[in-house]
């Protein structure tokens, strides 16, 4: 099955993975000499970026949308830089599934075709601009509505309700909440961290 080593920051030379499932090494920042991934599934190296030697060849690694990929080349398509890539995983490099990564102004999206990658990138750019405007409005007013919070985090209403009920707050009885109270109430949740990041970006803009 899968191997979870998310907090491991280093590995010995010559190690080989042969498990029948994915390998999670999201804190690894370099590849030891002689490492081999012969597992049956993807390999997640969320902190590994740039060029590293793997199987005797220098290869460029990149994490996009939570997936670790090998960059194979690039070209211009639809006004954006599009990279040809392969999803990194166990087995021979030539057998890894292909994909494309579209990039513009630090925003990336991937797809099975160049067009699908560029189309998804256009959506992300529009969505990012929308979130920036929502965060700017919330920061200026000092008040957060449920619609604002969901627009910035993607959190579902029931998930928010369940969390707030544990704090003695009835979501159905309030229309909005002071920004400082919202930040405090959502502290420690994954969507609370996302919300906080958007607000901080609005402050820095």
């Amino acid at each position: 099955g899968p191997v979870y080593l998310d907090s491991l920051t280093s590995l010995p030379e010559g190690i080989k993975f042969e498990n029948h499932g994915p390998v999670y090494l999201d804190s690894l920042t370099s590849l030891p000499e002689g490492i081999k991934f012969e597992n049956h599934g993807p390999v997640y190296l969320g902190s590994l970026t740039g060029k590293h030697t793997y199987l005797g060849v220098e290869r460029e690694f990149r994490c996009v949308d939570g997936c670790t990929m090998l960059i194979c080349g690039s070209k211009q398509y639809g006004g954006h830089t599009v990279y040809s890539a392969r999803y990194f995983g166990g087995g021979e490099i030539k057998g890894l599934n292909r994909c494309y990564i579209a990039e513009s102004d630090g925003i990336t999206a991937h797809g099975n075709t160049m067009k699908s990658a560029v189309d998804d990138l256009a959506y992300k750019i529009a969505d990012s601009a929308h979130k920036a405007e929502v965060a700017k409005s919330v920061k200026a007013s000092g008040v957060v509505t449920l619609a604002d919070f969901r627009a910035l985090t993607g959190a579902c209403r029931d998930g928010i309700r369940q969390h707030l009920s544990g704090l003695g707050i009835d979501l159905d009885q309030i229309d909005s909440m002071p920004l400082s109270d919202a930040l405090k109430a959502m502290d420690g949740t994954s969507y609370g961290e996302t919300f906080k990041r958007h607000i901080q970006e609005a402050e820095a803009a």
Side-chain angles (χ1 to χ4, degrees):
V3 173
Y4 297 97
L5 298 169
D6 286 329
S7 299
L8 203 66
T9 58
S10 63
L11 288 168
E13 293 182 1
I15 191 168
K16 180 164 62 175
F17 290 88
E18 297 178 302
N19 57 299
H20 287 255
V23 175
Y24 295 85
L25 292 164
D26 286 319
S27 297
L28 204 67
T29 57
S30 63
L31 294 177
E33 185 176 346
I35 188 172
K36 289 183 179 180
F37 292 101
E38 297 182 1
N39 59 299
H40 298 265
V43 176
Y44 297 98
L45 302 165
S47 299
L48 192 74
T49 58
K51 295 183 177 180
H52 300 269
T53 299
Y54 180 64
L55 299 180
V57 178
E58 188 176 62
R59 309 174 193 275
E60 184 176 354
F61 289 78
R62 189 165 184 178
C63 183
V64 178
D65 295 339
C67 299
T68 299
M69 302 178 185
L70 294 177
I71 305 301
C72 303
S74 66
K75 64 183 299 183
Q76 293 297 308
Y77 179 88
H80 304 291
T81 300
V82 178
Y83 301 89
S84 59
R86 291 182 185 272
Y87 294 102
F88 188 56
E92 295 185 12
I93 299 299
K94 64 181 180 180
L96 300 177
N97 291 331
R98 291 182 178 274
C99 66
Y100 296 89
I101 304 166
E103 181 177 37
S104 180
D105 296 327
I107 299 175
T108 58
H110 74 285
N112 292 330
T113 66
M114 287 190 285
K115 185 180 184 304
S116 64
V118 169
D119 286 348
D120 195 47
L121 176 64
Y123 169 80
K124 283 190 173 184
I125 291 173
D127 187 51
S128 178
H130 172 65
K131 283 181 168 58
E133 286 301 313
V134 172
K136 183 178 178 180
S137 176
V138 168
K139 181 60 183 175
S141 67
V143 176
V144 186
T145 66
L146 175 61
D148 292 334
F149 191 83
R150 292 189 64 186
L152 292 175
T153 65
C156 67
R157 184 184 181 90
D158 286 344
I160 298 171
R161 177 190 285 112
Q162 184 176 6
H163 176 73
L164 291 181
S165 65
L167 301 175
I169 302 172
D170 186 349
L171 183 62
D172 295 322
Q173 298 299 315
I174 59 174
D175 296 320
S176 61
M177 184 182 296
L179 175 57
S180 58
D181 290 349
L183 288 167
K184 183 178 180 180
M186 294 299 175
D187 186 41
T189 65
S190 59
Y191 41 77
E193 289 302 311
T194 300
F195 178 67
K196 182 179 179 180
R197 174 172 56 80
H198 284 300
I199 296 302
Q200 289 175 337
E201 290 174 353
E203 292 174 344

